């Protein structure tokens, strides 16, 4: 199997890796960079458990080759928190009991994070639309949607306070 040298940014850190041409981005993150927060559910592009952001857009990392990430900027769930401090979105998932087994949670968080970055004040419909590719077997989605709404309110308030210089 041919290998390729790729350079990319993962969670703000520059990485240079030799990867086989058939290695997926999901395999590279989990096996080469030990970023096991990104989950392997179906490996078929159907469950969304492997969702990461590539240049700010959610992608199923099981469906993207590592070589396709050459030169790109990748954000995984490990990149959402600052050290031990969870992001407001992660806090909202905890507070609203939006996590049960947790297997879908990293992918849900990444899709929701991308939504809030481009639309800080989404409607319930917009939240549902953003999460349509992320399947959850446990929660029934209601608490997840509530958590994203709550995080949106908090993020908007924090941005407004920033603007006022508080
Ligand atoms: S593991 Fe990638 S979509 Fe299910
Ligand atoms: S919390 Fe278990 S699959 Fe979503």
């Amino acid at each position: 199997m041919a290998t390729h040298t790729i350079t990319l940014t993962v969670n703000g850190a520059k990485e240079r890796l030799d990867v086989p041409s058939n290695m997926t981005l999901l395999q590279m993150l989990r096996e080469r960079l030990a970023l096991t927060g990104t989950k392997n559910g179906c490996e078929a592009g159907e469950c969304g458990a492997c969702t990461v952001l590539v240049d700010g857009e959610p992608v199923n990392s099981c469906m993207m080759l590592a070589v396709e990430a050459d030169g790109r900027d990748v954000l995984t769930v490990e990149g959402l928190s600052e050290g031990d401090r969870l992001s407001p979105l992660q806090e909202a998932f905890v507070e609203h009991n939006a996590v049960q087994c947790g297997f879908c949670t990293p992918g849900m968080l990444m899709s929701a994070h991308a939504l809030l970055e481009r639309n800080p004040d989404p409607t319930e419909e917009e939240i549902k639309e953003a999460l349509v590719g992320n399947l959850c077997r446990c929660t029934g989605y209601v608490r997840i949607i509530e958590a994203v709404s709550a995080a949106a309110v908090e993020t908007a308030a924090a941005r407004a306070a920033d603007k006022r210089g508080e």
Side-chain angles (χ1 to χ4, degrees), residues 7-136:
T7 54
L8 70 168
T9 305
V10 181
N11 299 334
K14 289 270 180 225
E15 303 286 353
R16 184 182 165 87
L17 297 158
D18 292 326
V19 294
S21 45
N22 65 347
M23 176 175 264
T24 65
L25 177 59
L26 173 62
Q27 290 167 332
M28 189 199 81
L29 291 169
R30 290 180 57 86
E31 295 166 18
R32 292 292 181 81
L33 297 177
L35 294 171
T36 53
T38 303
K39 299 300 180 215
N40 182 353
C42 65
E43 266 188 309
E46 288 174 6
C47 73
C50 65
T51 305
V52 299
L53 305 192
V54 176
D55 295 336
E57 291 298 324
V59 301
N60 289 330
S61 59
C62 70
M63 300 301 286
M64 181 171 184
L65 292 171
V67 292
E68 294 178 288
D70 191 19
R72 320 278 293 267
D73 187 64
V74 177
L75 184 70
T76 73
V77 71
E78 288 88 350
L80 288 186
S81 54
E82 282 179 32
D84 287 344
R85 219 177 81 214
L86 297 178
S87 71
L89 180 61
Q90 290 171 307
E91 290 282 6
F93 267 60
V94 175
E95 279 166 26
H96 288 263
N97 294 318
V99 180
Q100 288 187 24
C101 81
F103 199 81
C104 70
T105 309
M108 288 282 181
L109 286 168
M110 299 318 292
S111 294
H113 178 76
L115 169 68
L116 297 182
E117 285 294 298
R118 68 171 184 275
N119 177 4
D121 187 21
T123 62
E124 189 176 317
E125 274 317 302
E126 287 169 332
I127 295 171
K128 285 182 183 168
E129 207 171 292
L131 300 181
V132 76
N134 295 86
L135 305 184
C136 177

Side-chain angles (χ1 to χ4, degrees), residues 150-162:
V153 169
E154 198 172 314
T155 305
R159 284 180 186 173
D162 268 359

